[in-house]
């Protein structure tokens, strides 16, 4: 029998909540393994329904995390279910979900090369095709704000401008996807693009792709490539 629970006036299957929590726990271990975060830094969330989100707890390492440690919050980051304190960056997550209706999962990383560009307050330039295909152009760096503040969330949403990733000045990166696997892929491609940008800057600079070419590649990716990856198109 499919048991449900009432969260933020929505009847939600307990199974769906548990699978979101389990997916976040598994992704935390994946982020450590892929060196996208260290210790308890960074955070992960999944949109369960409008106004119902599963998010990693504040200050807890990923290695021993359990599904029940994952907190369920509403749009105002108020806890709906869970014992621990939700991530201090929950506002960043809920602000992105509000601004981007396609976003179903968000990963905030402190990966080295993205953080290096963020420390320089420079964007990830549109110099490599895969990041352009996925994001649609350069990845901007948001204006600086203290961690955990509404200002940080507002600045990130503004600089993101509907794209799937943004850098947080002197801090790290945040990316969203249609699910956690998609968000992870965006984080990894963003980190790779940031690394290439830094290599190129130390060797005389790269040539940035034109907006026109970026738009063509991004449209092809959205209209065809994703379907081919899913086996929906030959
Ligand atoms: Zn952070």
């Amino acid at each position: 029998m499919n048991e449900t629970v009432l969260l933020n006036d929505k009847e939600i299957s307990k199974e769906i909540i548990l699978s979101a929590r389990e997916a976040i726990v598994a992704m935390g271990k994946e982020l450590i393994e892929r060196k996208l975060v260290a210790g308890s830094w960074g955070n992960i969330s999944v949109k369960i329904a409008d106004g119902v989100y599963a998010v990693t707890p504040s200050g807890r390492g990923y290695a021993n995390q359990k599904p029940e440690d994952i907190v369920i919050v509403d749009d105002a980051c108020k806890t709906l279910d869970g014992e621990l304190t939700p991530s201090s960056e929950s506002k960043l997550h809920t602000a992105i979900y509000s601004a981007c209706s396609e976003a179903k999962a968000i990963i905030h990383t402190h990966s080295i090369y993205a953080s290096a560009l963020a420390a320089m307050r420079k964007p990830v330039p549109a110099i490599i095709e895969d990041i352009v295909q996925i994001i649609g152009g350069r990845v901007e760096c948001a204006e600086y704000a203290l961690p955990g503040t509404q200002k940080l969330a507002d600045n990130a949403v503004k600089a993101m401008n509907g794209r799937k990733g943004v850098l947080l000045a002197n801090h790290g990166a945040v990316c969203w996807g249609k699910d956690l696997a998609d968000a992870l892929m965006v984080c990894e491609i963003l980190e790779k693009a940031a690394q290439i940008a830094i290599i190129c800057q130390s060797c005389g600079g790269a040539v940035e792709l034109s907006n026109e070419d970026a738009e063509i590649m991004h449209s092809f990716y959205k209209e065809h490539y994703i379907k081919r990856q899913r086996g929906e198109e030959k």
Side-chain angles (χ1 to χ4, degrees), residues 6 15 17 25 32 35 72 96 105 127 158 193 223 228:
L6 200 63
E15 208 180 306
I17 295 167
V25 169
I32 291 282
K35 298 191 168 37
I72 311 295
I96 292 170
I127 56 172
K158 191 174 166 214
E223 283 157 31
R228 287 176 196 174

Side-chain angles (χ1 to χ4, degrees), residues 42 89 108 110 171:
E89 296 296 8
H108 163 48
H110 288 183
H171 185 160

